[in-house]
Amino acid sequence: MLRGATSQATQTTAMLRHYGMSSEEIDVWEDPDQADVVDLSANELDALGTGVSIYRALEKSGVNRGRETLAEYSIESKTFSARSYIRDIHRKATGSELRRGKDNLQKEVDKKSDSLRSLVEQNFDRFVGAKSTIDQVHAQIKRDFVVRKNTAIGSAMASNDGTSVNLVDGMRETLNEAIAKGAQIFEPIVRGKVNADHLRFALSTLEQYKQHFDMPSKMLKYLDDGDDEALAKQFKIGQRLFAEARRQPTHVGGVVEQRMLDQVWSIVQKYVKQRELELLSALEDDRSDSAAVNRTCMTLLEIGVDVNPYYRAFQHGSTHLREAVIMQIEVQRVNVEMLRRQILIDTHAAAKEMRITSLQSYFLSEARDDEPQATEMADILRMWQAVEELVRSVFSSQIPRLQQVWQIYRDMTEPTRAALLPVGPNGSSKQFHSFTPDERNRARNTAENIAMIICDSILDFFMTKPITELPPIYAQAIAKRELDEQQEHNRLEAVNGAPPSPSKTHRKRVSAVPELPKLDPSTHKSSGGEFAFVPASTTALGTSTHLAKLMETLIKGANEIVGLAISSRVEESARNMLSKVRDRFVRAICELWQDDCQLLPMLETWERDYTSDERITSMPRTLYLLNSAMIDGLRRVVFCDVRGGATGSQAGSVPGTRSGSPVPSVLPAPTPKLIDNIRTQFAKNMYTTMNGFVTSIYHGQGDDVESEEKSSMAAPGSLNEPLSDADTRALILINNINRVQQQYISRLAKKLEGSLGASSSRELSDLKSMLTHHEHGVFKRFVRPRCAQLDEIIERGVAEVEYSSLPFPREVDAYVNEIILACTVVLSQVGMTVPELESRVMTATVEHVFSSVAVHLDKVKHFNLGAMLKVTTEMELLTQTLGPFLTDKAAQINDATLDRVEARTDRNLPVPGQQQDVKKILSKARKAIGAYAKVFRHQL
């Protein structure tokens, strides 16, 4: 009830204001000049009965042109415009809403007509009075006109009484008043009727073309909702509707209708053009996936564009991709270099110790039957992860984008694709259903260039040395940082009066640009290494594991690039990248392999390996484990088959390959040079390792075997003293080398042959010769000082005797007993340390004893008969006592010595004394050295 009363009061107020009346009950005519000016009220509601404030609706629509022009939206105003009213207030109204508004408007017009009729009835007397007055005035005018016509104008106008003039003025005033009052009453009625007719005409036009007028509101809704499919569909319908409307015959009012429809169609085209620009801009977004790009291009073809949207998408996508590839690799490269330098700085002082610890952890894990692995520092693992992320991120993020861009090319060069694309308005989009020949060439060249940039950028990272400065992508940021630093420096200097150091706040503000850690030139030459992707202080074991994973990732990415079938140049670039990176990986592993082999002697504790019956250490096993693991690691890098398979043309030809394993064809077969380099490196590393062990037994002097053999040897002191540490290690090393030669070297050679698919017989022969050479060198070095002491004993014993005037022998000289005692000491020393070498050491020692005796006796020119018997007795004693270790060579030397002595014996020389029984002399000597003889008999 309250709402109805309020609505009635509002309508009454609007009617009184329109007609310039202060109330419904008026007694006198009111001056229209004193009434309120007809204008749009802030509370005036929609004439179509929607209950919406007209003023608020105009503000919401953005119509704000001043109150003088807002009157055109008031239905009671003289300047009311039905077209503006419908366009601005009901721009989103549907046909059904406008029909309901028409009915409401008709009701309001009827109500106002009734109000005016009531007003006229209430003021009928006034209308009649006005009519009577007008008639009287009209009659008076006619009479005056007749009088003026019959009377001379000059006489009448010359009259001085002024009666005629006053009468005319009074009638004119009365007439004007009547006209004004009549216009005040009837003109609003007439104007309202005209406005209502205009509004009914506009509503009838809207009713007839309701689909046309509904279109802008629908298009706007689809724009707001982002429904491009519905927008394109509606636009297509609009093209048909407006084309049909233009073909209709012209009729009364048709020009106005056509003008209205043209304006509506221009609004529709404006909305579509706006969306077209938005969609073209969306093609520049590099975050859109292929499905979104395709939908956008389909919509653009549907609504009609002036350019090929698919080529536009290809251009923008390829441009963003090229920049993204370069940017991503450079940023990741800086990150890797920062980690590499930091590791180099942190581990410089203890790099060797860290690598030794890592190798020890590997051998310990193998001894526990765990999965063998080298323990690496957390920073080293982080750098490996950064290197892997550099490769993985490029392939995982950029190759899919390259595939997306290249798919556009494929779609636009596929003949059957055109049948699935929209033809656009009047078939205007058919020209964009495929690339032109020029667009095809440029698109293929662009895709080829991007694919080669990906391959070349990765190849450049692995092939070049570590960067020494930030790449050009940071040039602008660096310049800005330097400018900021200079400005901050100048500001603080102006404030403080002295050049200050940058504040913490300033440093934080300019730290967006990464800074490479500074390397000390005195300790880190050439930026600390040759390989930008290898951490400092790492081992060959860890490096081979990580590089094998990297090769798998590289091959996977290269396969994806080649699978796009862009061109033969791209395939060649991918293969070249893999081949060169593989060679670089092998080189890095081989260098670290050699470094690890140099560290093996430092891992030797010279403690017995009780898992073996022989007196050996863990050296043979660690040597085998390291080289075996390195051969496996190199095989994974070269052939990229963790399970033992091969790649390329090597598949099926390499022993040990598993049947049915995948063969990545994009990876070229290794070159013979690469295989030869690995085989050569293996042999070199074995030599390096053995030479390191040999030199390490004598306090790590660093001299090789040849130089040690040439150097003068100091006597080991008295033979009664225990073996020195060096001599003990020498005996153990001899046993270790023998174990390597007998058990491990052939296994390693066979493994190398099976992994690389090439014969290793030459390497095996060279390695055996090398091991024999080192073993003989160590053995000679051990025996030589002992033989030197025996030489001193023999030389002294022979030199003290005058062989030309000796009496018949009665006993054996003491120096012979010393020889036997010395040999006994040597035998006991070796037997307690390495029993396996007793026979070999004693055989060499005994041979040397007989050789030395022969050499010194050959210096004697003449022997008498007593001297000959003396020599014969002593040699017989040595033969009988050292018999267990007497070789044929030693026996031959002994026989030859006795023959030469006999040949130089002069039987004419005098022999003092009486000849004794040689057997008794020998028996007495054997009794004297009986304890020593038992030692040799026990060994026998």
Side-chain angles (χ1 to χ4, degrees), residues 798 802-806 850-869 871-872 875 893-911:
V798 174
E802 182 57 43
Y803 286 94
S804 60
S805 60
L806 277 179
F850 282 94
S851 297
S852 181
V853 170
V855 169
H856 288 89
L857 290 177
D858 287 343
K859 296 178 180 180
V860 179
K861 296 181 178 180
H862 299 286
F863 294 88
N864 65 1
L865 184 59
M868 183 192 69
L869 292 175
V871 171
T872 303
M875 297 299 289
I893 294 173
N894 181 47
D895 293 342
T897 300
L898 293 178
D899 290 342
R900 289 194 298 273
V901 169
E902 184 177 1
R904 294 197 301 275
T905 301
D906 187 356
R907 298 180 182 272
N908 297 323
L909 293 175
V911 181

Side-chain angles (χ1 to χ4, degrees), residues 57 228 256 277 302 308-309 432 548 683:
D228 293 332
V256 177
L277 296 177
E302 187 73 39
N308 191 332
F432 303 132

Side-chain angles (χ1 to χ4, degrees), residues 282-283 285 288-298 310 313 404 408:
L283 293 178
D285 189 359
S288 302
D289 56 15
S290 57
V293 171
N294 186 59
R295 287 195 301 269
T296 301
C297 293
M298 294 283 281
Y310 283 101
Q404 175 181 332
I408 296 176

Side-chain angles (χ1 to χ4, degrees), residues 454-516:
I454 294 177
C455 296
D456 293 344
S457 298
I458 294 177
L459 178 62
D460 180 72
F461 168 71
F462 286 111
M463 295 300 294
T464 57
K465 292 184 178 182
I467 59 176
T468 57
E469 57 185 13
L470 293 177
I473 61 172
Y474 294 103
Q476 184 175 0
I478 292 174
K480 183 178 183 304
R481 182 181 66 178
E482 293 176 351
L483 179 61
D484 291 344
E485 290 177 348
Q486 184 62 39
Q487 291 177 350
E488 182 71 6
H489 181 275
N490 295 339
R491 185 186 66 81
L492 294 177
E493 183 177 5
V495 173
N496 301 328
S501 60
S503 63
K504 294 182 178 179
T505 304
H506 178 62
R507 287 175 181 169
K508 184 177 181 181
R509 180 169 59 87
V510 298
S511 63
V513 180
E515 293 188 8
L516 297 175

Side-chain angles (χ1 to χ4, degrees), residues 301 308-311 408-418 421 429-437 439-440:
L301 291 177
N308 191 332
Y310 283 101
Y311 187 70
I408 296 176
Y409 174 86
R410 286 182 169 179
D411 291 342
M412 298 308 291
T413 55
E414 178 64 34
T416 59
R417 172 74 174 174
L421 298 177
S429 297
K430 287 184 178 180
Q431 58 179 326
F432 303 132
H433 284 183
S434 64
F435 285 170
T436 64
E439 289 174 342
R440 292 188 182 191

